[in-house]
Amino acid sequence: MSIDSYFRIHERGSTVGQEVRGGVVTFLTMAYIIVLNPLILGYVQDSEGNYLGGGAEPNLPAIAAGTALVAGVLTILMGAVANFPLALAAGLGLNAFVAFTVATQSTWADAMGLVVLEGIVILVLVLTGFRRAVFHAVPTQLKVAISVGIGLFIALIGFVDAGFVSRIPDANNSTVPVQLGTGGQLEGWPVLIFAGGLLLLIALWVRRVKGAILISIVLATVVAVALEAALDLGARAADNVGGWSLTVPSFDGIVDVPDFGTLGEFSLFGAFSSIGVIAALLLVFSLMLADFFDTMGTMTAIGAEAGLNDEEGVPPHTQRILVVDSVAAIAGGAGGVSSNTSYIESASGVGEGARTGLSSIVTGALFLLATLFTPVVEAIPSEAAVPALVLVGFLMMQQVTEIRWADPEIAIPAFLTIVLMPFTYSITAGIGAGFLAFLLIKVVVGKTREIHPLLAVVGVLFVIYFAIDPLTDWLT
């Protein structure tokens, strides 16, 4: 069987050249995740004070290598099995949830075990056809609010990691919790690198430059390395507020044997003993919510862009796409790099002519090749990389117009979901507050028939989740 017949390249109005070009463009559009995933996961200490993949010290190259490896394998699998121009990698938002909500309550191994469990649950739901029931249990506009809230949370992480926003120490007795820069003003060259990188990214993005995120990261990093070499700014500290936030930019090498130290770093049921059954189940459910609903929208949008959807707007081989996406969540946890999911950035490759899974195989092969270049990640300061988080936050925020703000029955729960994620630094808190507000309002206005039984069960679990400490104290 020829490549053309296997992938139906000619049948879908494409050529091998178009598929290769589309695959390369998709990789360039997505390659930023190899840099951002280590920055989000790599500097967070778990409940035992350890870093992911590196014990007592951050190990960014290992996380970058694992990120590229899992993305490469699963994207190739998507192309070969589903024959669809869709690439996968560690999900932004999902990795923030794992880092700042799950890992801080447990160990990294326990956190990744919950990611694996979440993927298994989604895979079972796909194979049994139950996924649609769960999908319809949560009101559409609450799903939108979850996505918007995660976007704001990601943007806040970006501003904080760049030093553009900082927390005012409690000892200062300030009337405001956060401030611009340090002392209400921006200080130091690094934060200017962030500001310049963000402005460059915005300019490239509005000009629709392909690979805008990657280009801005590379250019900002080059300037940062030159600045550090010339001025020796060093790391930020109490006596050096103008230093680099997380990583001091310096090149120690470009190519090296990849370190896959994060692979296999998961404990399937460890979290159930470390944080309790109820908390573990709610975290799995919250992970599932964050991961579960985007894929159907992403694959439908990509299929529409490529002209592959049928008259009902359904992409070809939908079941295969959903199965591979579910396996990606499992693989991301097993690889120790957070849940992998479908990327809407695949639309950039479709825009270059990609119509088949061959483009995904090209993208996946480039991700595998990138595992050799992960030492470069250590040279990239957060100030150069996190403008991408701000842009992603903006892109996720755009969905807010889909919420009926004139209807308080959905607007209030949506509002609480959105604002409490960044305000509490917890995605779970936002989801829980939104769900409980939705249930309360439906009961108060006498519309209990609009409450899906599954959502009611989840509401009870969230009540227990929020009240677990006082309940434990009372019972003991």
Side-chain angles (χ1 to χ4, degrees), residues 63-90:
I63 302 173
T67 299
L69 176 66
V70 176
V73 171
L74 269 298
T75 300
I76 289 173
L77 188 65
M78 178 66 78
V81 173
N83 191 23
F84 198 67
L86 187 62
L88 304 98

Side-chain angles (χ1 to χ4, degrees), residues 6 46 284 295 301:
Y6 181 83
D46 64 18
V284 169
T295 299

Side-chain angles (χ1 to χ4, degrees), residues 7-9 12 14 19 83-85 354-360:
F7 290 105
R8 300 182 179 180
I9 297 174
R12 293 188 180 180
S14 184
E19 297 302 313
N83 191 23
F84 198 67
R355 296 293 182 272
T356 76
L358 179 58
S359 67
S360 296

Side-chain angles (χ1 to χ4, degrees), residues 365-390:
L366 291 173
F367 268 116
L368 296 182
L369 181 63
T371 60
L372 300 173
F373 298 90
T374 50
V376 176
V377 172
E378 284 192 303
I380 301 173
S382 61
E383 288 83 356
V386 296
L389 295 183
V390 179

Side-chain angles (χ1 to χ4, degrees), residues 129-147:
F130 188 66
R131 182 169 187 170
R132 291 183 179 274
V134 177
F135 184 82
H136 290 298
V138 180
T140 300
Q141 294 181 71
L142 273 185
K143 300 170 197 170
V144 171
I146 291 170
S147 181

Side-chain angles (χ1 to χ4, degrees), residues 257-468:
V257 176
D259 175 4
F260 295 122
T262 64
L263 269 63
E265 189 174 318
F266 72 98
S267 173
L268 199 58
F269 297 105
F272 285 82
S273 59
S274 63
I275 64 175
V277 175
I278 294 296
L281 287 175
L282 279 170
L283 288 174
V284 169
F285 181 78
S286 298
L287 272 168
M288 188 181 72
L289 280 179
D291 193 12
F292 189 81
F293 302 108
D294 286 345
T295 299
M296 296 187 75
T298 298
M299 71 179 186
T300 301
I302 297 300
E305 182 73 15
L308 300 176
N309 293 352
D310 61 20
E311 61 277 4
E312 296 181 357
V314 179
H317 306 306
T318 296
Q319 184 74 353
R320 296 182 187 179
I321 296 172
L322 293 175
V323 167
V324 174
D325 185 82
S326 303
V327 172
I330 299 172
V337 292
S338 184
S339 180
N340 275 228
T341 188
S342 302
Y343 263 57
I344 194 63
E345 284 88 342
S346 304
S348 63
V350 172
E352 286 293 322
R355 296 293 182 272
T356 76
L358 179 58
S359 67
S360 296
I361 291 179
V362 172
T363 302
L366 291 173
F367 268 116
L368 296 182
L369 181 63
T371 60
L372 300 173
F373 298 90
T374 50
V376 176
V377 172
E378 284 192 303
I380 301 173
S382 61
E383 288 83 356
V386 296
L389 295 183
V390 179
L391 179 67
V392 171
F394 156 72
L395 295 175
M396 298 177 77
M397 182 70 185
Q398 286 181 303
Q399 303 174 63
V400 77
T401 57
E402 299 177 27
I403 298 171
R404 296 193 307 271
W405 292 106
D407 180 4
E409 292 183 24
I410 191 64
I412 292 175
F415 171 75
L416 291 175
T417 299
I418 292 170
V419 299
L420 283 179
M421 287 188 191
F423 287 174
T424 64
Y425 230 63
S426 170
I427 294 172
T428 303
I431 294 174
F435 280 18
L436 291 177
F438 177 81
L439 294 171
L440 171 66
I441 291 173
K442 290 301 180 184
V443 170
V444 170
V445 299
K447 296 182 179 179
T448 55
R449 292 184 179 180
E450 296 182 11
I451 300 175
H452 194 287
L454 182 59
L455 193 60
V457 172
V458 173
V460 173
L461 292 176
F462 268 119
V463 169
I464 298 173
Y465 175 78
F466 284 122
I468 192 68

